[in-house]
Amino acid sequence: MPLPGSRKMWGGDEERDLTRHVRDLRVRWAGREVSIPLSAFADLGQPDSMTIAVLGSQSAVVLIKGGEESTGYVARLLLERGVLKRRRVSLRGFEREFWEETRYSGPVETN
């Protein structure tokens, strides 16, 4: 069954409705769940793979790849100290030319 509004999602095109999307994303950092808003992943259609790469003791990136051949994308969710800081989604093959980025403030640390 096609997803409503799927032609406007990452991975969609004007001719074909998408049938899959990322509808839930849960990440645990140091034993607790990271707060990831729905807006960080709800527009990612036709997901193919998801991996987590640790960038050091304080940061990691969640990589989500998906879409069709001509509409493939790579989404990168950057986590720093267990907080989502940035999301960057780009068109595969044209990652420097076609992309969007969102920055998140996250919770305020009190120490």
Side-chain angles (χ1 to χ4, degrees):
M1 177 172 204
L3 296 167
S6 67
R7 293 181 184 179
K8 295 181 181 182
M9 289 182 174
W10 279 96
D13 63 30
E14 307 246 337
E15 300 170 11
R16 193 174 349 167
D17 287 315
L18 302 177
T19 56
R20 299 184 324 271
H21 71 107
V22 180
R23 70 174 190 191
D24 191 24
L25 179 60
R26 296 175 191 212
V27 176
R28 294 190 68 75
W29 183 286
R32 63 183 174 90
E33 193 164 317
V34 175
S35 175
I36 300 179
L38 181 65
S39 63
F41 57 84
D43 64 343
L44 302 177
Q46 300 302 93
D48 293 327
S49 67
M50 180 170 34
T51 57
I52 297 177
V54 177
L55 303 176
S57 64
Q58 301 294 316
S59 61
V61 64
V62 177
L63 290 169
I64 302 170
K65 295 181 181 181
E68 304 296 332
E69 285 183 33
S70 63
T71 61
Y73 64 85
V74 178
R76 293 174 177 83
L77 306 178
L78 178 65
L79 307 173
E80 291 180 358
R81 297 162 79 188
V83 176
L84 176 63
K85 290 296 188 175
R86 190 171 67 226
R87 169 190 119 133
R88 184 179 179 112
V89 185
S90 54
L91 193 61
R92 254 192 278 185
F94 300 96
E95 294 184 28
R96 292 184 179 169
E97 292 88 3
F98 299 102
W99 54 271
E100 70 178 30
E101 186 169 288
T102 306
R103 295 182 183 272
Y104 298 90
S105 62
V108 176
E109 294 183 31
T110 56
N111 11 12

